[in-house]
Amino acid sequence: MATTVAVPEMTDKSPRRSSLLEWVTTVDHKRIGIMYLLAALFFLVCAGTEAALMRIQLWKARFDFLEPDTFNQLFTMHGTTMVFFVGMPILVGFGNFLVPLMIGARDMAFPRMNAFGLWMFILGGLLTYYSFLQGGAPDVGWFAYAPLTSATFSRGMSTDYWILGLMTSGLGTLSGGINFIATILTMRAPGMTFGRMPLFIWMMLVDAVLIVIAFPPLTAAQTMLLLDRQLGAHFFDPQQGGSAVLWQHLFWFFGHPEVYILILPAFGMISEIIPVFARKVIFGYESVAAATVLIAFIACGVWAHHMFALGLSRTIDIFFSGSTFLIAIPTGIKMFNWIATLYGGKIRFQTPMIFCLGFLAMFLIGGLSGVMLAAVPFDWQASDTYFVVAHFHYVLFGGTLFGIFGGFYYWFPKMSGRLMNETLGKWNFWLLMIGFNLTFFPMHISGLMGMPRRIYTYDPELGVDIWNQLSTIGVLVQAAAFIVFAVNLIGSLRSGERSGDDPWDAWTLEWLTTSPPPAYNFEVIPAVRSRRPLWDLKHPEDPDWEHE
Amino acid sequence: MNHAAALSAHAESPHHDQHALGGWTPLKVGMASFLFSEAALFATLIVAYLKFLGQDDGGPTPEVLNVGRELVAVILLLVSSITVQFASRDLARGRCTSCTVGVILTFILTVGFLIVTGLEWRELIAVDGLTINRNLFGSSFYTLFGFHLGHVLAGCVMLLIMMGIAFSGSLNARSSPGMEAIAWYWHFVNGVSVTLFLVVYVITR
């Protein structure tokens, strides 16, 4: 262990060009992570295009830019794609790239299963999109309520493609979750106790546990649906005594933990980025980790708040309303932790940091409208309106996607050895911030005025034209932001400023190795004595472990 | 790379391996997590079965199930759990021949289970007319037991792979750490079969 081999300096040499075959056949967690990110960005373009087409259709009342049937396909594919083929793969991709580096390991626990997960995700995505060539995409909404999905109402193969595509990619996600758990529990560097793991690792661990709990019920429910459609079983067919409500229970038993699966890694990212750019340790490390575990626990008991409008029963409504209010507490604890970390810090307003600040502001709005929707009487009024659309976009776009952008700007140097352009980064942020709010804030208003979601058009008498037009203009601004991001990504990859190993003066282990890291990650597996091993190295006169 | 060198010095520190989880290798943790997800899967299917119990408008009910025959099937699987455990233990102790014998015995017992289940299903389908699209009981019964059967078949594939390794002469504890994981999987699948027997054939019938 302690024998150090003299290794030639390899800081500023560009990585050897490698062939496509090497990438396709790789089991290296870093390359798999990067391929997850690239594939997810491809699907992001698909889903963004679908959203833009819907916004054009909603430009004015009784507009006939799209057929109603096409509109149904677009919102189904937009939701399905964003959740299963963009959100999760990007987070799993970051997790893949970062987890072994952050815990001081040479790879994931099961490298081949890791590659299996990536290709299952890509296959699942392509299978779902292949439906477009087979007579039309799924048009039953991303939560695919029965009996709309029955063979009677959903003719053709589109719903079957939806089922099989999600089952396939779900298998990949599950294998990824198992891999993260095994890696984090057994492969940490010497000295990295649970109390010293970076918070991103904590969140990925809890995230993986949620994946392992939540995905099998979805697979089971989708199998039942497939049997209903293909073999004439009666699970979700009320005509034959089946239960459409059971589908809703099973779907949301998966679906609500799923939204925490989508947000927790983003929480983890900003918990890494904010301290580095505020030049302070995270405030209340233990409470952030504990709040994460608590969120995961409560997240498994809130699913029926998606079903208030169903009229289950008073007792059930009160229980799920209460548990939903409860989950705001650990989430609030984290908000205070991040803000307290900022307080008194020497904040560097670089692009990764401003995305994190954007995250705090936007996620707060989404969280507050979530608390509003947790109240059953309010939910009855707002259910299935654009208010709900606004709410979950503030959480998943303003939250997860802002966090992901912060993550891209922060870890791009580690992946490529080059910095992303700061000026373009600032443009990226402000265009996205303005475009995002212009799109989604008016939806709160149009929703409360009674505009239903998932309907291809609206009445002029409703008086929501102006709010819809603001939303559509917002999409244009967002498109500009995404183009700036793409230009920045490609331009920086080619000719960005060399970053060196540790451009942000950070404290976690991934910045110890070269940028990009060698295939084996570390010449010597580092030993860890505190939560900020790199700080200890840079400041031997004042190491953290004397204080922790 | 001075940083790495400096860090490596700490490797000798008393904090070394503080986090180690006993004998929990990545393989064991991975298998345990996988089985945890499997438990969630079967729990969902059992909930669906119970939800639809007695909701049928017509067709066969659980009364048509043959308890005695299913009990034989479950006992066959339970015995195979013992043989697979012996196989796993023998391999860990370096007794490769007796491990191979254990694996083969497990496989034979499993084939016995498959035959008994086949007889049960044949009677259900041919005599009682219970199919997956007949009524809700049929839908949920075949889905629940079909998933279990799929897991047994997957276990058969694992056993066949172990036999292939054994017959090619390369079986030893170092190169086949998977044997213990297979035993875990097998115990889980058999635990599920006991659970299903109790829930479907005994408690709610």
Side-chain angles (χ1 to χ4, degrees):
Chain A
M1 244 340 218
T3 46
T4 41
V5 185
V7 176
E9 289 286 328
M10 30 202 273
T11 40
D12 269 18
K13 284 201 197 88
S14 67
R16 188 174 63 86
R17 290 250 164 209
S18 43
S19 71
L20 186 65
L21 186 71
E22 276 177 30
W23 277 84
V24 171
T25 56
T26 189
V27 292
D28 176 357
H29 72 99
K30 298 177 288 298
R31 288 187 169 186
I32 290 173
I34 289 169
M35 283 194 283
Y36 262 113
L37 297 180
L38 293 178
L41 287 177
F42 164 76
F43 283 114
L44 180 64
V45 174
C46 299
T49 311
E50 286 151 9
L53 289 171
M54 284 190 283
R55 282 315 323 170
I56 296 173
Q57 162 65 20
L58 294 170
W59 171 252
K60 59 179 188 183
R62 300 254 168 255
F63 199 27
D64 53 3
F65 172 71
L66 295 173
E67 297 290 316
D69 186 42
T70 314
F71 191 85
N72 292 349
Q73 297 179 20
L74 289 177
F75 72 67
T76 303
M77 289 302 281
H78 173 76
T80 303
T81 309
M82 285 306 295
V83 170
F84 293 97
F85 308 131
V86 179
M88 275 200 300
I90 287 194
L91 299 169
V92 170
F94 272 112
N96 251 306
F97 187 90
L98 291 171
V99 165
L101 286 171
M102 276 189 168
I103 64 173
R106 296 205 196 276
D107 205 322
M108 297 284 282
F110 309 110
R112 276 179 293 183
M113 192 166 86
N114 204 14
F116 169 81
L118 166 74
W119 295 107
M120 281 293 118
F121 142 59
I122 292 177
L123 178 65
L126 293 179
L127 200 58
T128 311
Y129 267 83
Y130 184 67
S131 61
F132 272 112
L133 306 177
Q134 287 285 305
D139 54 359
V140 290
W142 89 277
F143 39 80
Y145 275 179
L148 203 58
T149 46
S150 68
T152 322
F153 299 109
S154 172
R155 292 168 188 281
M157 295 290 287
S158 63
T159 302
D160 303 289
Y161 278 110
W162 180 84
I163 296 170
L164 293 173
L166 294 198
M167 269 187 179
T168 310
S169 71
L171 202 60
T173 309
L174 184 65
S175 69
I178 292 168
N179 216 342
F180 281 127
I181 294 176
T183 308
I184 295 172
L185 289 188
T186 62
M187 293 172 66
R188 281 165 289 134
M192 186 178 280
T193 56
F194 281 111
R196 293 179 191 157
M197 293 195 310
L199 282 168
F200 180 75
I201 300 298
W202 262 107
M203 313 260 176
M204 284 309 296
L205 177 62
V206 174
D207 204 59
V209 171
L210 274 181
I211 286 175
V212 166
I213 295 173
F215 266 77
L218 177 70
T219 306
Q222 288 185 318
T223 309
M224 294 181 209
L225 182 58
L226 195 64
L227 293 173
D228 270 12
R229 289 176 56 81
Q230 297 296 332
L231 295 180
H234 308 300
F235 288 108
F236 306 121
D237 177 8
Q239 302 280 322
Q240 304 283 335
S243 169
V245 177
L246 180 68
W247 169 268
Q248 297 197 18
H249 277 296
L250 294 182
F251 186 87
W252 289 118
F253 183 78
F254 148 79
H256 203 82
E258 169 67 13
V259 303
Y260 287 95
I261 292 170
L262 286 168
I263 195 75
L264 284 181
F267 283 175
M269 289 180 188
I270 74 163
S271 301
E272 295 301 327
I273 298 172
I274 287 178
V276 168
F277 287 84
R279 310 309 299 157
K280 278 176 69 190
V281 290
I282 186 97
F283 180 88
Y285 170 96
E286 291 87 352
S287 60
V288 178
T292 308
V293 177
L294 206 57
I295 285 177
F297 184 72
I298 305 176
C300 294
V302 297
W303 75 90
H305 70 210
H306 295 268
M307 301 159 63
F308 285 153
L310 203 65
L312 287 169
S313 83
R314 239 177 112 94
T315 320
I316 293 179
D317 282 356
I318 288 171
F319 173 84
F320 283 101
S321 176
S323 62
T324 308
F325 283 126
L326 209 59
I327 210 164
I329 295 173
T331 317
I333 289 174
K334 290 191 180 187
M335 288 298 286
F336 286 119
N337 278 305
W338 293 320
I339 293 167
T341 308
L342 292 170
Y343 181 77
K346 282 191 211 159
I347 300 175
R348 299 185 305 204
F349 288 97
Q350 283 161 295
T351 311
M353 183 61 161
I354 54 177
F355 270 108
C356 291
L357 298 176
F359 173 107
L360 293 182
M362 297 301 100
F363 183 76
L364 180 64
I365 296 175
L368 290 176
S369 58
V371 173
M372 292 165 79
L373 287 166
V376 180
F378 182 86
D379 183 83
W380 283 341
Q381 297 301 317
S383 192
D384 271 332
T385 69
Y386 266 80
F387 187 86
V388 176
V389 179
H391 156 67
F392 67 73
H393 280 92
Y394 268 88
V395 176
L396 290 180
F397 191 148
T400 304
L401 221 55
F402 272 59
I404 285 170
F405 270 110
F408 264 112
Y409 280 92
Y410 184 64
W411 281 295
F412 181 84
K414 186 47 67 183
M415 296 180 183
S416 68
R418 293 173 189 272
L419 287 161
M420 286 179 84
N421 184 296
E422 263 305 295
T423 315
L424 286 175
K426 298 255 161 63
W427 273 96
N428 183 178
F429 173 76
W430 284 109
L431 284 171
L432 196 68
M433 189 74 172
I434 294 166
F436 168 76
N437 279 294
L438 200 55
T439 306
F440 294 106
F441 200 82
M443 288 184 186
H444 289 112
I445 300 163
S446 57
L448 289 181
M449 287 173 76
M451 183 171 165
R453 66 190 280 210
R454 304 185 152 183
I455 306 289
Y456 74 102
T457 192
Y458 48 91
D459 265 336
E461 292 87 70
L462 205 55
V464 293
D465 290 56
I466 177 69
W467 305 115
N468 276 289
Q469 279 160 9
L470 286 175
S471 289
T472 305
I473 295 169
V475 168
L476 281 178
V477 183
Q478 285 186 57
F482 280 102
I483 290 169
V484 169
F485 175 71
V487 169
N488 197 352
L489 198 66
I490 296 165
S492 302
L493 200 58
R494 289 184 162 189
S495 54
E497 191 190 329
R498 300 270 182 202
S499 64
D501 294 350
D502 181 17
W504 313 114
D505 191 11
W507 304 313
T508 36
L509 285 179
E510 76 270 30
W511 304 104
L512 172 67
T513 185
T514 53
S515 304
Y520 44 87
N521 291 353
F522 301 98
E523 285 96 18
V524 180
I525 296 292
V528 176
R529 299 184 72 181
S530 79
R531 286 171 198 148
R532 298 193 299 169
L534 224 53
W535 169 277
D536 296 349
L537 281 174
K538 293 172 190 168
H539 305 275
E541 75 290 352
D542 181 28
D544 268 7
W545 48 264
E546 286 187 351
H547 309 294
E548 274 177 8
Chain B
M1 286 295 97
N2 294 329
H3 283 170
L7 268 186
S8 74
H10 293 160
E12 256 44 73
S13 75
H15 297 280
H16 182 64
D17 268 357
Q18 240 176 15
H19 63 283
L21 289 167
W24 284 86
T25 59
L27 182 66
K28 287 184 188 175
V29 175
M31 194 37 133
S33 318
F34 172 65
L35 294 180
F36 188 63
S37 80
E38 294 281 83
L41 181 84
F42 279 104
T44 310
L45 294 168
I46 291 173
V47 166
Y49 178 82
L50 294 176
K51 154 94 184 152
F52 291 128
L53 201 65
Q55 307 265 316
D56 291 305
D57 299 331
T61 63
E63 309 238 316
V64 300
L65 299 174
N66 187 332
V67 182
R69 187 154 48 199
E70 181 67 11
L71 186 61
V72 173
V74 171
I75 288 172
L76 283 171
L77 272 192
L78 279 182
V79 177
S80 81
S81 235
I82 299 172
T83 55
V84 86
Q85 184 60 33
F86 275 115
S88 165
R89 201 198 58 185
D90 287 339
L91 185 64
R93 293 180 182 173
R95 298 202 290 258
C96 296
T97 319
S98 83
C99 169
T100 313
V101 172
V103 170
I104 293 172
L105 276 178
T106 309
F107 188 77
I108 291 171
L109 287 162
T110 310
V111 171
F113 164 83
L114 291 174
I115 291 171
V116 176
T117 305
L119 291 173
E120 167 84 346
W121 283 32
R122 187 170 158 274
E123 185 174 309
L124 285 177
I125 294 168
V127 180
D128 303 310
L130 182 71
T131 54
I132 195 165
N133 61 1
R134 178 74 183 273
N135 60 10
L136 274 170
F137 169 57
S139 299
S140 48
F141 174 84
Y142 285 114
T143 307
L144 184 53
F145 281 81
F147 257 101
H148 178 253
L149 206 58
H151 281 77
V152 173
L153 290 174
C156 285
V157 173
M158 296 178 196
L159 293 173
L160 284 171
I161 291 173
M162 288 312 294
M163 282 189 235
I165 294 174
F167 291 138
S168 72
S170 44
L171 187 66
N172 65 61
R174 264 181 76 86
S175 67
S176 305
M179 188 61 222
E180 193 177 356
I182 292 174
W184 284 20
Y185 173 84
W186 203 245
H187 297 324
F188 172 81
V189 171
N190 299 342
V192 170
S193 94
V194 173
T195 310
L196 297 192
F197 177 73
L198 289 176
V199 170
V200 175
Y201 281 79
V202 179
I203 298 171
T204 65
R205 181 158 168 271

